[in-house]
Amino acid sequence: FFFCVMAVQVEVKREITASGQTVWDYIKDFGGLDKWAGPISVCEIIGDIPNNNIGSMRKLTFTDGGSIQERLTELDNDKFILSYSIPGDDLPHITNYNATTKVISKDDSSCEFVWSATFDTTEEGKEQALQMINGLFNGVSDDMVKHFQ
């Protein structure tokens, strides 16, 4: 069997009524995703590289019992950027997954939260993969907007 692999991109943006620094302080801890992402019940740093250092690994356990591992690839406290990858094949129909969360300051009381990802998938798995990532990104982003209202 031959499966055609294609690159896919997802991006979710939300306006938030808080300063960029306030939102960044809320999300910047790589090992603290379970504090602000509702579907994540446990987030633990694993391996030898300490939290918030490039290369550090986190294991996410979802409320449904599933789990994945992610690697920190960028953390920029000046530009409010955190990027990570999923080095394994923990997600069905998804490989070469890379994602970025970014906070863009607008003024002292508002900012934009952007969560984007690129990954490879197959034609057969594309719809399921997009539904899963879009569902997660949109749900968590909506929760963040509510948190800062």
Side-chain angles (χ1 to χ4, degrees):
F1 290 93
F2 177 76
F3 294 104
C4 181
V5 174
M6 64 184 72
V8 179
Q9 183 169 355
V10 171
E11 184 175 77
V12 170
K13 296 180 178 184
R14 294 291 187 277
E15 297 293 324
I16 298 180
T17 53
S19 72
Q21 185 68 56
T22 299
V23 174
W24 178 246
D25 289 344
Y26 184 63
I27 69 165
K28 69 181 179 183
D29 178 21
F30 185 65
L33 187 62
D34 53 340
K35 293 177 182 73
W36 63 271
I40 311 296
S41 59
V42 179
C43 176
E44 58 184 318
I45 297 298
I46 58 173
D48 298 332
I49 301 174
N51 186 28
N52 295 325
N53 285 270
I54 302 304
S56 64
M57 296 284 296
R58 66 184 176 194
K59 179 181 178 186
L60 306 179
T61 303
F62 293 88
T63 51
D64 68 5
S67 67
I68 60 171
Q69 293 184 13
E70 298 177 334
R71 173 179 282 120
L72 182 64
T73 56
E74 180 182 13
L75 184 65
D76 189 324
N77 284 303
D78 296 322
K79 295 181 180 174
F80 302 159
I81 295 172
L82 185 152
S83 298
Y84 62 95
S85 66
I86 298 176
D89 56 1
D90 293 347
L91 295 175
H93 308 294
I94 294 177
T95 56
N96 297 321
Y97 179 97
N98 292 284
T100 297
T101 55
K102 178 169 45 174
V103 178
I104 302 166
S105 295
K106 301 285 189 186
D107 55 40
D108 289 346
S109 61
S110 69
C111 66
E112 183 177 53
F113 173 72
V114 182
W115 196 354
S116 60
T118 58
F119 55 88
D120 294 338
T121 188
T122 60
E123 185 66 44
E124 296 77 15
K126 181 180 177 184
E127 189 174 322
Q128 181 184 353
L130 284 171
Q131 191 174 27
M132 180 175 51
I133 300 301
N134 271 310
L136 176 69
F137 284 17
N138 279 296
V140 172
S141 297
D142 289 345
D143 288 346
M144 189 179 307
V145 169
K146 291 177 195 155
H147 175 81
F148 286 105
Q149 282 179 338

